[in-house]
Amino acid sequence: MSVIRKPTSQDAVIEKVFGEPLDELYAAAVAGTASPALHRIMELRSFLAVAEEQLARVRDRIHEATAPARHYELSAEELQWDLQWLQAALSGRQECVGALEEVLRTMPDPGARPQQGLPPPKISARATAAHPPAAQPPARARRP
């Protein structure tokens, strides 16, 4: 299943901020008509969908392993591995949510129009030096 169709804990917030359903937001991002902030939000949402899916899988596996019917089949080693996976999945989810919240907090208002006047500066792909190269000291004449 595509991450576009996977629900996340932040879907309602994203739809509220942008005023559009997720399908339309993803379509704008894919078509290249989305703002840089929306494009970043949709990328983060995709990462979040994967992280939350993994978290749910590990949670379900732990619940299944610790069910009363499986009491005598418990394996400390397997539960230790699941605990490590659970910690990794929780960390990934927290990082995604934090990054998503940061972009939502710092992005320009989605309804705001760009300022008229000068076009935005173009970013050069060429690296330039910050300072001109230092002058070379004059060469000494050799003695005969």
Side-chain angles (χ1 to χ4, degrees):
M1 176 184 274
S2 169
V3 294
I4 295 172
R5 301 282 179 227
K6 292 180 192 300
T8 74
S9 60
Q10 302 299 307
D11 290 351
V13 173
I14 295 169
E15 287 179 337
K16 181 179 178 184
V17 168
F18 290 97
E20 300 285 339
L22 287 173
D23 289 341
E24 290 181 27
L25 297 175
Y26 265 112
V30 169
T33 59
S35 68
L38 176 58
H39 195 277
R40 179 67 49 95
I41 291 290
M42 300 319 290
E43 285 180 341
L44 287 169
R45 189 210 168 270
S46 296
F47 290 135
L48 179 61
V50 172
E52 288 183 346
E53 179 185 27
Q54 293 304 311
L55 186 59
R57 284 182 181 182
V58 174
R59 179 205 57 214
D60 293 346
R61 190 169 52 237
I62 291 171
H63 284 201
E64 183 182 319
T66 58
R70 298 200 53 195
H71 177 70
Y72 297 105
E73 299 175 29
L74 280 177
S75 165
E77 185 176 346
E78 286 180 19
L79 285 175
Q80 183 63 32
W81 278 105
D82 285 338
L83 176 62
Q84 290 175 0
W85 277 107
L86 184 64
Q87 289 171 334
L90 278 170
S91 177
R93 181 192 178 279
Q94 289 169 337
E95 290 289 324
C96 287
V97 169
L100 194 115
E101 288 173 346
E102 179 69 13
V103 173
L104 286 172
R105 186 179 63 75
T106 60
M107 71 178 200
D109 181 20
R113 292 176 163 242
Q115 292 181 348
Q116 299 297 325
L118 297 176
K122 293 190 178 192
I123 299 173
S124 173
R126 188 180 70 193
T128 59
H131 300 288
Q136 297 293 327
R140 290 188 178 190
R142 290 187 175 213
R143 293 186 183 177

